[in-house]
Amino acid sequence: MASFSGFIRKSPSARLRAFLAARGVHAPDDFDWISEGRGTALVRSIEALLEELPEAQQDAVKAELEFLSALASENGRQAAEQVCTGQLIELEGLEGVEDVLLMLAIEQPRMVDRVQVQASLLHRNGGKQWSRFQFPDDGKPWALDSQTARDGFLAETVNILNLPMHRRREADWFHSIRIDPATGEQSKLTQATIYVEDRAESELAFGATSLERQTVQKVLEVGIACDPEERIVEICAKGGTKVRDQYLQSFSKHFAPQSKPPVEVPRRDVQLAILRQKPELTTVPADGIETVEVSSLSFRSSDGGFLLVEKRGDEETLYQFLARNFSGNSPLHAGGWQIVAATLRIFLEPREGKKGRALTVTLKTPNTTSVPNKTEAERQFVYGLLERWNLLAPPPSVAKLFEVID
């Protein structure tokens, strides 16, 4: 089966039919859109329709379905909600992310590209390619709507990427609405995706008669998200901290020239010392959590030694294992040993007909967690738990961030 088979099965029949018709795929009047409960038979029937198309058209439709299928994830759903709400596109009454994506593909295809970019930003939020910066709360206006400022920032992007000035470039500016999953509070963001023509690459491809080497022009992307109310700018781009600092300097120069320089919001330190004793990882019924366990601890000694202890089986906890095997010499109590990493497993209750599952969270000193690899909703959920369990240091206040500057 093609990778889009699950997408087809979950798509509303009317919307799927409209999408295919818009791509020149017309089903006969007696086509069974609900065959075998919209299972394998439906997928095969639609694949049979596609196989009747000319090869180029068939490939194009399948490629688009595979692209939409890849977007039909939790991050894709949240991205679609944020983009569509910011663009005043009504989603009320639509039947899930598949319905939303097909609707956009039919009626507003440019929005699908924005959803794809937004889903990527959600996935990378808090990761190695992402930084958040805080401007002082000085009340001075930002020139986010200035075309001159936008043009200047776009031109400098090419310089930062160290590309020739003749490279084609384009900036897509739009609004999105970010909703805090925990509080429901909405924040209106101004976002930009900068597209720049990268260096060309040579690849083999089938030509008219045989294999030929063709030049393929790649595209680089830089993502910017601004919250003027909170005076925050998020930058998502490859190249490391120094490169993101250059984008920030350019942003300040063109959009916030009256404000003092911003500072990067540091990652919150993890606090692993409390795991020296079996912690009280309290939960409430609303969490939907069955159990939580510390499944591994990593220790480093003052003389450079390293020890990793992992929980095996359900007969005893990791703490019971350490007490049984090390007694008073356990690294939890012996001098010279420091906890440098820990893994928690959060077992979730079954919900809405779905089986229970486990969220695995890794914490490493001084400030590394695996939380950025979760969906946005899972990140908010896990961060809330880590705060409750005192495993994360409090976030710095804006005043604290700017103490050094003052």
Side-chain angles (χ1 to χ4, degrees), residues 334-404:
W337 287 93
Q338 178 186 7
I339 302 176
V340 294
T343 301
L344 307 180
R345 298 193 74 199
I346 304 168
F347 295 91
L348 303 178
E349 299 172 345
R351 282 191 174 183
E352 300 176 356
K354 295 182 179 179
K355 295 181 180 180
R357 59 192 180 95
L359 284 176
T360 301
V361 181
T362 302
L363 310 173
K364 296 181 181 179
T365 57
N367 53 22
T368 300
T369 76
S370 61
V371 180
N373 298 327
K374 314 297 182 187
T375 66
E376 185 181 18
E378 287 176 342
R379 281 197 296 271
Q380 296 292 338
F381 175 64
V382 173
Y383 274 132
L385 292 174
L386 295 178
E387 288 176 342
R388 184 193 305 170
W389 300 332
N390 294 317
L391 289 169
L392 278 184
S397 65
V398 175
K400 188 74 172 176
L401 285 172
F402 287 95
E403 270 185 5
V404 177

Side-chain angles (χ1 to χ4, degrees), residues 151-200:
D151 291 343
F153 181 70
L154 179 58
E156 287 194 2
T157 298
V158 180
N159 284 333
I160 293 170
L161 292 170
N162 196 27
L163 293 170
M165 288 306 297
H166 70 266
R167 298 291 188 193
R168 288 176 293 179
R169 78 291 303 262
E170 181 179 323
D172 180 28
W173 289 86
F174 60 97
H175 293 296
S176 69
I177 301 295
R178 181 178 293 175
I179 302 174
D180 188 317
T183 65
E185 183 178 349
Q186 295 188 358
S187 303
K188 184 176 181 180
L189 304 182
T190 298
Q191 295 191 219
T193 305
I194 311 297
Y195 301 95
V196 180
E197 189 176 51
D198 195 4
R199 296 172 180 84

Side-chain angles (χ1 to χ4, degrees), residues 39-308:
T40 303
L42 175 63
V43 176
R44 287 176 176 167
S45 297
I46 289 178
E47 287 182 328
L49 290 178
L50 297 178
E51 288 172 0
E52 296 175 1
L53 301 173
E55 289 184 1
Q57 184 182 359
Q58 179 184 156
D59 290 343
V61 176
K62 286 184 176 181
E64 187 173 9
L65 282 170
E66 289 171 358
F67 172 69
L68 296 176
S69 175
L71 269 183
S73 62
E74 179 62 20
N75 274 340
R77 181 192 65 78
Q78 294 178 32
E81 289 179 352
Q82 292 180 6
V83 171
C84 290
T85 304
Q87 301 302 305
L88 303 180
I89 299 173
E90 182 60 58
L91 299 181
E92 187 68 29
L94 297 188
E95 304 174 30
V97 64
E98 292 82 11
D99 197 8
V100 172
L101 293 173
L102 288 172
M103 179 273 291
L104 293 176
I106 297 168
E107 300 177 12
Q108 302 197 48
R110 184 60 186 270
M111 292 298 164
V112 178
D113 294 330
R114 290 179 175 176
V115 170
Q116 190 268 338
V117 167
Q118 190 72 352
S120 177
L121 289 176
L122 288 174
H123 177 70
R124 293 186 286 173
N125 185 285
K128 293 181 179 179
Q129 298 177 7
W130 175 92
S131 296
R132 172 182 287 157
F133 301 91
Q134 176 74 59
F135 279 79
D137 188 12
D138 54 15
K140 295 179 180 178
W142 286 1
L144 294 176
D145 295 327
S146 167
Q147 190 59 50
T148 300
R150 291 182 176 185
D151 291 343
F153 181 70
L154 179 58
E156 287 194 2
T157 298
V158 180
N159 284 333
I160 293 170
L161 292 170
N162 196 27
L163 293 170
M165 288 306 297
H166 70 266
R167 298 291 188 193
R168 288 176 293 179
R169 78 291 303 262
E170 181 179 323
D172 180 28
W173 289 86
F174 60 97
H175 293 296
S176 69
I177 301 295
R178 181 178 293 175
I179 302 174
D180 188 317
T183 65
E185 183 178 349
Q186 295 188 358
S187 303
K188 184 176 181 180
L189 304 182
T190 298
Q191 295 191 219
T193 305
I194 311 297
Y195 301 95
V196 180
E197 189 176 51
D198 195 4
R199 296 172 180 84
E201 294 184 4
S202 180
E203 296 181 354
L204 279 176
F206 280 101
T209 58
S210 64
L211 281 173
E212 299 176 357
R213 187 159 291 279
Q214 299 180 358
T215 300
V216 179
Q217 204 75 49
K218 302 293 184 179
V219 176
L220 289 169
E221 295 179 12
V222 178
I224 308 290
C226 318
D227 186 339
E229 293 285 330
E230 298 295 330
R231 316 289 287 181
I232 289 174
V233 174
E234 298 174 5
I235 298 176
C236 191
K238 295 180 180 180
T241 302
K242 291 183 179 179
V243 171
R244 288 192 293 277
D245 284 344
Q246 292 181 60
Y247 289 122
L248 179 67
Q249 292 169 13
S250 180
F251 180 93
S252 300
K253 170 184 172 182
H254 293 287
F255 298 111
Q258 301 179 52
S259 294
K260 292 182 179 179
V263 296
E264 183 171 1
V265 179
R267 300 176 188 272
R268 296 169 64 177
D269 287 347
V270 297
Q271 303 181 139
L272 301 183
I274 65 171
L275 297 180
R276 285 192 172 277
Q277 297 181 349
K278 187 176 185 301
E280 292 293 331
L281 303 178
T282 57
T283 62
V284 297
D287 294 333
I289 294 175
E290 289 184 340
T291 59
V292 184
E293 68 177 21
V294 179
S295 61
S296 78
L297 289 174
S298 297
F299 302 87
R300 189 172 296 281
S301 69
S302 55
D303 61 3
F306 180 81
L307 175 66
L308 168 64

